[in-house]
Amino acid sequence: MQQTPEHASAPQLPGEDREIETLAEFDEVSGRGALAGCRVQAVDLTGRTAALVAADVAGAVFLGCPMDEDAAAKVRASGALVFPPVPGLPFNPYRGLLYTPDDLFAGLADEGYEATPDAHAYDWFQRTKADGDVFSSMLRAIHDDSISDALDELLAGARVVGVMGGHAMARGTDAYAGAARLGRALARAGFTVATGGGPGAMEAANLGAYAAVFADEMLDEALELLAKAPSFTPSVTEWAKAAFAVRERWPSGGPSVGIPTWFYGHEPPNAFASHLAKYFANATREDGLLARSNAGVVFLPGAAGTVQEVFDNATPNYYESRGEPTPMVLVDRTHWTDHLPVWPLLKALARDRPMEARIALVDNVEEAPEALRNLGVGTPTD
């Protein structure tokens, strides 16, 4: 998985269809006077007036970039499009990079979760989602499209295994520990772990990927610390602070991706995914997560949301609308055959189709990596 945005390696004309997402990238490109045709996303250019005035900006597009009025007037007059920042928003609809936990939880330590950008964005969504204002819906759509673009850039060339499961899985339980070990095993095998980015099973898998770069004992100790705040209810603040305490004790953990949504405002994002692609539109988020899980999906026990994800994944596998079917591994035989009889239906659906050889049911999470291998998924180096 790429840790910084990468762009096409083929030769390009100066500025040709080039996305600029950081101030360092802007300085590099503008130093050559090569801004023509560039797309500059959410870069603060208030200190770069001289560079903007001197550069060729014909055909450039500036998306949500603060800049001095003189600079904005000059670049418009020189043939650039300028979409100014939108004042008063708790998020940037034009952002060029995915969120980090520090981005979404800023202010947590001093003021609690209610003061964080994540909570403010959810409050804005609650106020605007049903007001019929085309401007608000446009801002949400632009934001989500920007997030998808950043996610595609991050995952270019990665072998992604999705781990799905319910938010109710509590820290301190055997199920949570098992999901964390699964995430660790997948990350150590060279896969990029992707989850729905929320609490419970999702957090556990991201935690496991975070722990993959440390000795095995780290995960055991982290699980013990986290068990002191088992759920995000009644206090998201205490739940999140426990995660950040683990990150502070063991900094620079392994990477993974979380793809949460503000649609489910009661589910905060987890702090162990290094990259968070948070969406307003849950349908876009769900489809995007499954579509990007190109090396397969592991479904841990869950309720309605996880059942929906099973069949959202099964449908393109059935029709092969995304190409060859990708592996699906359901974990916990009793859950998926007795409690929620998803497996019999999935098996009947797959009968006599190519996807039949790409589905498996296992008893516990320890069997999931081997099941993926048996379904034809090798490590990224195979």
Side-chain angles (χ1 to χ4, degrees), residues 210-281:
Y210 187 91
V213 299
F214 301 103
D216 288 355
E217 292 77 12
M218 175 270 176
L219 182 56
D220 295 332
E221 293 180 45
L223 290 169
E224 185 175 345
L225 291 172
L226 292 170
K228 298 175 183 178
S231 175
F232 62 96
T233 58
S235 173
V236 174
T237 298
E238 296 308 312
W239 173 84
K241 282 184 175 180
F244 277 96
V246 169
R247 283 165 41 102
E248 184 176 358
R249 181 168 176 180
W250 293 281
S252 303
S256 66
V257 176
I259 307 181
T261 174
W262 280 295
F263 182 81
Y264 295 130
H266 61 285
E267 292 186 17
N270 77 71
F272 293 112
S274 56
H275 301 83
L276 288 161
K278 191 152 192 178
Y279 287 89
F280 288 106

Side-chain angles (χ1 to χ4, degrees), residues 82-162:
V82 178
F83 293 80
V86 181
L89 284 182
F91 63 95
N92 187 339
Y94 301 111
R95 64 178 298 119
L97 303 173
L98 298 182
Y99 296 99
T100 68
D102 290 331
D103 292 334
L104 292 178
F105 284 105
L108 174 77
D110 297 328
E111 302 178 75
Y113 175 72
E114 291 73 15
T116 64
D118 187 66
H120 288 317
Y122 175 63
D123 288 342
W124 177 89
F125 178 51
Q126 287 294 98
R127 293 195 308 271
T128 64
K129 66 180 181 180
D131 64 6
D133 182 5
V134 66
F135 185 54
S136 295
S137 62
M138 182 189 73
L139 291 173
R140 292 194 295 270
I142 291 172
H143 170 274
D144 286 1
D145 190 65
S146 297
I147 289 296
S148 291
D149 181 66
L151 186 58
D152 286 337
E153 290 177 352
L154 179 77
L155 295 178
R159 297 288 304 283
V160 181
V161 173

Side-chain angles (χ1 to χ4, degrees), residues 304-322:
T306 311
V307 172
Q308 176 183 342
E309 289 163 346
V310 169
F311 291 104
D312 281 347
N313 194 211
T315 300
N317 281 346
Y318 179 89
Y319 290 111
E320 299 182 64
S321 56
R322 294 178 184 147

